[in-house]
């Protein structure tokens, strides 16, 4: 068989087809709301963030200090053993300079791009990173391997969320 | 391990388009009908059906497996839906393989259908919920973030440039000029890629495959059945799949270990000890251009950090020593997630039969592979095919 010998299905529509009413469509916005339980590991993680600290969990078998904390070690497949405070500093493992928002819309002209990064947290095991964003830095000055430190919300504004850390900023020296 | 040998005996595909008039069910039926017609079979000959389709959120239809079952020919048959994100399109045929390999069935129709255009304003929005609801979604991530983060890590680990990576996009979009289902066939230059809109540095618009609607299907048969249907069966000699931790930020993104594990599983089953020599042609998953190189390394088709040298030497061109994505890949043919992976399987099927038309690679290859990748950058799915 050769694809060229068949008449292939699928009829392409122009972008304008819906607007012009050439194709009948139904629009719907599902109104769904969720209340997610976080479980004991992330509950404690969030509670500590509210106090301005970062906490991890240690597995005494593989000796990994894991962040975000978890009640089970996915490598050893056994419960983790203890809570360990880690630093609010780390190293940029990788980063991006992002001009689009979560829904693929573009950031407003003149607005600063998002600077998402994987940050390896000091005090956690090697390579243990979290997703966060960078701030107080020009995009073209960001480098992999850069030392960074958390910038926290004011204590009275914190709500027990990952966003209690506003961003990570470069450390001097 | 005792199992029946399984062959691909027929294939079908729809055009891949930005927005199709047809529903997902209708696309599935079109691809399935073509697959059956291609090998002179009817739905009566089909004993089981394996359906692959990606997130329900694209369609806004809950339980898409059930929704797509009638178009896929799944009604009143043993029918299962497979879903491992972007890896689905190669996982669905793996699933079909064990339906037949186990001896439970002599035939299985594998259908992958995807309709991404229903989601507004853009299917990207649906991807937000793949991130952890508490520790990540609050940061308003987009899926492109993790690709950009991975691409940057990969580039800086090995000192690879955006110019070099852009060559993958140039190659695949050009290959797609000869694919009758292609959505984005184009002759472009490296400069065009670099000058296209920067979405999330280092990712530009032309580094990315498009969102698409489309479907693909294949017919699988046991050895004794296959030999009655065709004198050109293509055998699924190895299958492999593997999943890494969902704590994606805690593993180094420069190397896809899970792809290597999936590949090793498939190679062992196929008796392949030297993949660089034995795999003559491949369709690594290329939703972004750097992923083709990243996956060639995970598949052990290139040394770590060296896939780019094969690209620069022209070895991965269609007339090169080791053609990669001769179809045009996700970058050129389009990326209706689950259907893309199966399109890749179909391309290797056609290439090994010498039926790829203008896309045919020289040298009568005997052994090739197709691979897909997905979930939260953590799943690898691989099939090894031989004629
Ligand atoms: Zn452990």
């Amino acid at each position: 068989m050769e694809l060229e010998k068949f008449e292939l299905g699928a009829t392409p529509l122009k972008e304008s087809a819906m607007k012009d009413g050439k194709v009948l469509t139904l629009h719907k916005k599902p109104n769904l709301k969720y209340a997610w339980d976080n479980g004991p590991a992330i509950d404690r993680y969030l509670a500590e963030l509210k106090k301005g600290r970062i906490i991890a969990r240690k597995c005494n078998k593989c000796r990994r200090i894991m962040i975000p904390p978890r009640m089970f070690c996915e490598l050893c497949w056994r419960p983790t053993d203890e809570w360990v405070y880690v630093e609010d500093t780390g190293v940029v493992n990788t980063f991006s300079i992002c001009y689009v928002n979560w829904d693929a819309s573009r950031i407003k002209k003149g607005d600063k791009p998002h600077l998402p990064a994987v940050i390896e947290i000091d005090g956690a095991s090697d390579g243990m990173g979290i997703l966060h964003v960078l701030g107080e830095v020009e995009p073209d000055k960001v480098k992999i391997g850069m030392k960074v430190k958390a910038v926290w919300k004011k204590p009275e504004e914190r709500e027990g969320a990952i966003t209690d850390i506003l961003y990570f900023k470069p450390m001097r020296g | 391990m005792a199992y029946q040998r399984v062959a691909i005996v027929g294939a079908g595909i729809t055009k891949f388009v930005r927005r199709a008039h047809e529903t997902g069910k209708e696309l599935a039926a079109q691809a399935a009908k073509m697959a059956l017609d291609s090998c002179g079979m009817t739905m009566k000959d089909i004993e089981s059906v394996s359906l692959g389709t990606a997130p329900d959120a694209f369609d806004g239809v809950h339980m898409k497996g059930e929704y797509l079952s009638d178009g896929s020919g799944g009604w009143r048959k043993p029918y299962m839906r497979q879903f491992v994100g972007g890896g689905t399109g190669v996982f669905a045929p793996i699933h079909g393989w064990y339906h037949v390999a186990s001896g439970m069935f002599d035939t299985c129709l594998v259908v992958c259908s995807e309709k991404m255009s229903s989601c507004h304003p853009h299917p990207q929005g649906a991807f937000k919920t793949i991130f952890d609801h508490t520790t990540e979604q609050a940061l308003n991530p987009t899926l492109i973030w993790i690709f950009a983060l991975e691409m940057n890590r990969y580039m800086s680990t090995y000192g690879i440039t955006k110019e070099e990576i852009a060559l993958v996009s140039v190659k695949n979009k050009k290959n797609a000029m000869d694919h009758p289902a292609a959505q984005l066939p184009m002759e472009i230059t490296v400069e065009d890629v670099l000058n296209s809109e920067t979405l999330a540095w280092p990712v530009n618009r032309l580094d990315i495959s498009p969102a698409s609607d489309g479907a693909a299907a294949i017919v699988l048969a046991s050895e004794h059945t296959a030999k009655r249907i065709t004198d050109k069966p293509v055998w699924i000699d190895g299958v492999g799949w593997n999943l890494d931790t969902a704590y994606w930020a805690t593993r180094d993104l420069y190397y896809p270990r899970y792809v290597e594990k999936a590949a090793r599983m498939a190679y062992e089953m196929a008796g392949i000890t030297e993949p660089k020599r034995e795999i003559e042609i491949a369709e690594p998953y290329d939703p972004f251009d750097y992923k083709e190189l990243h996956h060639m390394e995970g598949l052990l088709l290139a040394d770590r950090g060296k896939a780019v040298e094969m690209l620069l030497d022209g070895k991965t061109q269609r007339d090169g020593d080791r053609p990669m994505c001769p179809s045009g890949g996700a970058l050129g043919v389009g990326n209706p997630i689950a259907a893309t992976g199966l399109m890749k399987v179909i391309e290797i099927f056609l290439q090994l039969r010498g039926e790829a038309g203008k896309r045919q690679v020289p040298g009568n290859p005997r052994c090739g592979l197709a691979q897909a990748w997905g979930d939260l950058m953590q799943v690898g799915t691989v099939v090894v095919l031989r004629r």
Side-chain angles (χ1 to χ4, degrees), chain A residues 1-4 6 8-13 15 18 23 25 36-38 42 45-46 67-68 70 74 93-104 106 114 116-118 127-133 144 162-163, chain B residues 11 13-15 17-22 27 30 34 38 120 122 124-125 128 133-135 138-142 145 148-149 152-153 156 178-181 197-201 205 245 247-250 350 353 355 359:
Chain A
M1 66 172 293
E2 288 180 10
L3 299 183
E4 290 74 6
F6 289 81
L8 302 186
T11 314
L13 294 176
E15 283 295 322
M18 281 199 302
V23 178
T25 52
W36 285 307
D37 294 315
N38 291 312
I42 297 300
Y45 183 52
L46 300 179
I67 174 177
R70 56 209 80 165
E74 78 273 19
N93 169 284
T94 183
F95 67 95
S96 167
I97 304 165
C98 185
Y99 300 88
V100 300
N101 301 313
W102 70 273
D103 60 354
R106 305 304 191 256
H114 307 286
V118 172
M128 278 287 163
I130 59 167
L131 175 69
H132 217 290
V133 292
I144 287 177
I162 190 66
T163 44
Chain B
I13 195 166
T14 68
K15 283 180 255 174
V17 299
R18 176 63 191 96
R19 188 178 179 93
H21 187 198
E22 289 82 357
L27 294 171
Q30 288 176 336
M34 178 175 161
S38 77
H120 278 250
H122 193 281
Q124 280 294 340
K128 187 178 173 186
H133 51 63
T134 302
T135 60
L139 300 165
N140 274 321
T142 147
W145 279 15
L149 294 169
N152 188 11
R153 185 70 185 165
S156 28
D178 297 322
H179 199 299
E197 183 187 5
T198 303
L199 299 175
W201 183 90
R205 169 167 281 288
T245 172
Y247 293 100
W248 62 273
T250 71
L350 295 170
R353 284 175 37 134
E355 294 175 350
R359 303 184 312 288

Side-chain angles (χ1 to χ4, degrees), chain A residues 59 61-62 64 73 75-76:
Chain A
C59 167
K61 183 147 184 253
C62 64
R64 287 192 310 155
C73 171
L75 285 189
C76 305

Side-chain angles (χ1 to χ4, degrees), chain B residues 82-105:
Chain B
Q82 275 56 251
F83 175 48
V84 283
T88 303
V90 174
F91 192 63
I94 290 174
H95 205 95
W97 173 85
Y98 50 79
H99 270 28
V100 177
S102 65
M104 283 279 263
F105 307 102

Side-chain angles (χ1 to χ4, degrees), chain B residues 29-231:
Chain B
Q30 288 176 336
K33 172 79 164 48
M34 178 175 161
L36 292 168
D37 287 350
S38 77
C39 55
M41 290 172 80
T42 70
M43 203 55 91
K44 279 202 189 97
D45 303 314
I46 296 299
E47 297 177 7
S48 60
V49 177
S50 165
L51 173 87
T53 191
D56 293 4
F58 285 153
D59 306 55
V61 174
H62 191 47
M63 304 208 299
K64 257 164 87 180
E66 284 69 11
Y67 172 71
L68 293 170
S69 59
D70 45 7
S72 315
W75 269 48
R76 297 187 175 161
K77 284 196 165 69
Y79 168 84
M80 286 177 102
R81 178 222 182 151
Q82 275 56 251
F83 175 48
V84 283
T88 303
V90 174
F91 192 63
I94 290 174
H95 205 95
W97 173 85
Y98 50 79
H99 270 28
V100 177
S102 65
M104 283 279 263
F105 307 102
D106 277 320
T107 55
C108 182
L109 175 66
V110 180
V111 183
C112 287
S113 176
E114 209 70 76
K115 197 155 169 81
M116 298 174 74
S117 62
S118 311
C119 188
H120 278 250
H122 193 281
Q124 280 294 340
F127 282 121
K128 187 178 173 186
T129 55
I130 75 171
F131 290 93
D132 184 89
H133 51 63
T134 302
T135 60
E136 292 175 341
Q137 279 187 38
L139 300 165
N140 274 321
T142 147
L143 191 70
I144 307 176
W145 279 15
I146 48 179
F147 287 103
L149 294 169
E150 186 177 75
M151 180 168 168
N152 188 11
R153 185 70 185 165
Y154 178 63
M155 286 168 50
S156 28
T157 300
Y158 299 117
I160 300 167
T161 64
K162 271 178 64 58
E163 285 80 354
E164 291 168 334
I165 287 172
L167 271 172
V168 174
S169 188
V170 172
K171 166 177 75 72
N172 291 5
K173 285 180 188 296
K174 180 153 187 277
N175 283 351
M177 309 260 298
D178 297 322
H179 199 299
Q183 177 183 351
L184 277 186
M186 275 189 242
E187 258 190 282
I188 53 166
T189 63
V190 167
E191 283 65 40
D192 291 332
V193 179
L194 299 177
N195 293 334
S196 63
E197 183 187 5
T198 303
L199 299 175
W201 183 90
V203 174
N204 291 47
R205 169 167 281 288
L206 287 174
D207 290 310
I208 312 187
S209 59
S212 317
D213 291 355
I218 56 174
V219 180
L220 301 182
S222 62
E223 183 161 17
H224 62 96
T225 313
K227 286 181 172 164
R228 281 207 311 271
I229 298 167
T230 176
D231 52 7

